[in-house]
Amino acid sequence: MTHRAPLLALIALLVFAAPVRADGTLAYILQWGSHGSSAGQFISNYGVATDAVGNVYVADQDNHRIQKFTKDGAFILSWGSYGGGPGEFYHEVGVAVSPSGHVYTVEPALHRVQKFTSGGAFVAMWGDSGGADGQFSFPIGIVCDHLGNVYVADTDNHRIQKFDANGTFMTKWGVRGTGNGELNFPWALACDGSYIYVAEAFNHRISKFTTDGTFVTLWGAMGSNPGDFNVPTGVAVDVLGTVYVADSGNHRIEHFTGAGVFLGTWGSLGSGDGQFNHPYALCTGPGNVLYVSDFENSRIEKFGDLPMPVAHTSWGGLKNRYR
């Protein structure tokens, strides 16, 4: 009996362990979407976000709507139509979900943020064109922290703005440049509760700040080698602090520690499983999964940790369009 317990523990480890693949990357699980305007189809899908139970929200920008899906891609509902009024959209790009379940969207050409319930009911909106506090110039990225505060990548103003859940301005940081704490077209945002990660499309790097805007570190340079970027347009962080970057011009996903240490990469140009054609945005979800908005392929791809197989033996892995 004393020898049986370790043996059973070893069997349990082999059957139930769920590591990442040997190279540290997440494995392809499934995909959904195709080009079109029917439910579950996309035209220029961009931002993607998840809620606390794993539902997935997609900014279907050229259909001027938000679509909501289950964690495995089953269509739930959509809302929005073409226009500039409350609850309408004009090429919405960014989408984020707060801890309360509210959905926030950002529209670059209308320079505004809108807030909805998880069922698509309009709640509020704020912003207009300009450089004053609470104004925007071509905002693209948006994220919420664990307190419900909202951060917006005010892209053409080369700054980040922070608001409370109702749109009241709190603080801002960033000026155009290449130095520490400076920004050059901040495109996408991620938050791990303590830090904000900024994907700078044209500095080809990730900058890391505290939630009040204090510069922490940065990494990346223009290129295609491991750890390099070619117009990074998406960033996400998981519960373990791993940072994922949509390296859109290189048609791949790269992942790093929170300090910027390179961990791995996957993807190549194409339309097969696990390939990409300009992956513009991504987000993490419950269960250590990653959703990638594969722009030119009009689809969402899902990646994650897969259970280790049981061994059978005998015991003895745009901007210009708005101009």
Side-chain angles (χ1 to χ4, degrees):
M1 294 296 290
T2 56
H3 297 289
R4 218 175 142 197
L7 178 59
L8 292 175
L10 177 60
I11 295 172
L13 179 63
L14 288 171
V15 173
F16 297 111
V20 293
R21 298 189 301 188
D23 60 1
T25 64
L26 298 181
Y28 171 84
I29 297 177
L30 57 84
Q31 64 176 275
W32 72 89
S34 60
H35 185 83
S37 298
S38 298
Q41 293 185 309
F42 307 110
I43 301 180
S44 302
N45 49 292
Y46 209 107
V48 59
T50 57
D51 62 22
V53 298
N55 295 317
V56 182
Y57 301 79
V58 180
D60 185 12
Q61 62 168 321
D62 283 359
N63 280 321
H64 311 284
R65 66 187 180 185
I66 299 296
Q67 294 199 67
K68 179 179 179 179
F69 302 88
T70 68
K71 62 184 179 64
D72 293 322
F75 176 79
I76 298 175
L77 59 85
S78 67
W79 70 87
S81 60
Y82 178 85
E88 297 177 326
F89 297 117
Y90 182 69
H91 302 291
E92 79 289 355
V93 170
V95 61
V97 183
S98 72
S100 67
H102 287 98
V103 179
Y104 294 85
T105 64
V106 64
E107 295 164 87
L110 295 182
H111 315 284
R112 71 179 184 182
V113 173
Q114 294 198 74
K115 178 181 180 179
F116 300 87
T117 68
S118 60
F122 174 81
V123 176
M125 67 179 179
W126 70 88
D128 58 11
S129 180
D133 295 348
Q135 292 185 313
F136 305 111
S137 180
F138 201 81
I140 294 179
I142 189 167
V143 75
C144 299
D145 66 19
H146 66 291
L147 300 175
N149 297 314
V150 181
Y151 303 78
V152 179
D154 189 7
T155 305
D156 273 12
N157 281 326
H158 308 283
R159 66 183 182 181
I160 308 302
Q161 294 197 67
K162 179 180 179 179
F163 303 87
D164 70 13
N166 297 312
T168 301
F169 174 82
M170 298 177 69
T171 191
K172 65 185 177 185
W173 69 87
V175 294
R176 188 172 190 178
T178 60
N180 292 347
E182 296 179 330
L183 302 169
N184 188 12
F185 295 98
W187 212 267
L189 304 174
C191 180
D192 64 6
S194 299
Y195 300 102
I196 300 294
Y197 300 85
V198 183
E200 295 181 67
F202 300 136
N203 273 339
H204 309 283
R205 69 186 187 187
I206 301 298
S207 285
K208 179 180 180 179
F209 301 86
T210 67
T211 55
D212 289 326
T214 300
F215 173 77
V216 177
T217 190
L218 59 80
W219 68 88
M222 174 66 177
S224 58
N225 292 321
D228 290 341
F229 303 115
N230 182 7
V231 190
T233 53
V235 61
V237 59
D238 67 18
V239 295
L240 299 177
T242 303
V243 179
Y244 299 87
V245 181
D247 186 14
S248 61
N250 285 322
H251 311 286
R252 67 185 181 183
I253 306 302
E254 295 193 272
H255 60 129
F256 304 83
T257 69
V261 177
F262 176 78
L263 296 175
T265 183
W266 75 92
S268 60
L269 177 60
S271 58
D273 295 349
Q275 292 185 305
F276 307 108
N277 191 345
H278 291 99
Y280 277 168
L282 74 177
C283 71
T284 57
N288 198 24
V289 296
L290 184 77
Y291 297 93
V292 179
S293 185
D294 190 10
F295 182 82
E296 297 288 354
N297 283 325
S298 302
R299 67 184 181 182
I300 302 297
E301 290 193 90
K302 180 179 180 179
F303 299 84
D305 296 350
L306 294 181
M308 180 186 293
V310 178
H312 295 283
T313 184
S314 58
W315 289 93
L318 346 237
K319 175 174 173 179
N320 288 335
R321 59 183 289 137
Y322 297 101
R323 296 304 195 193

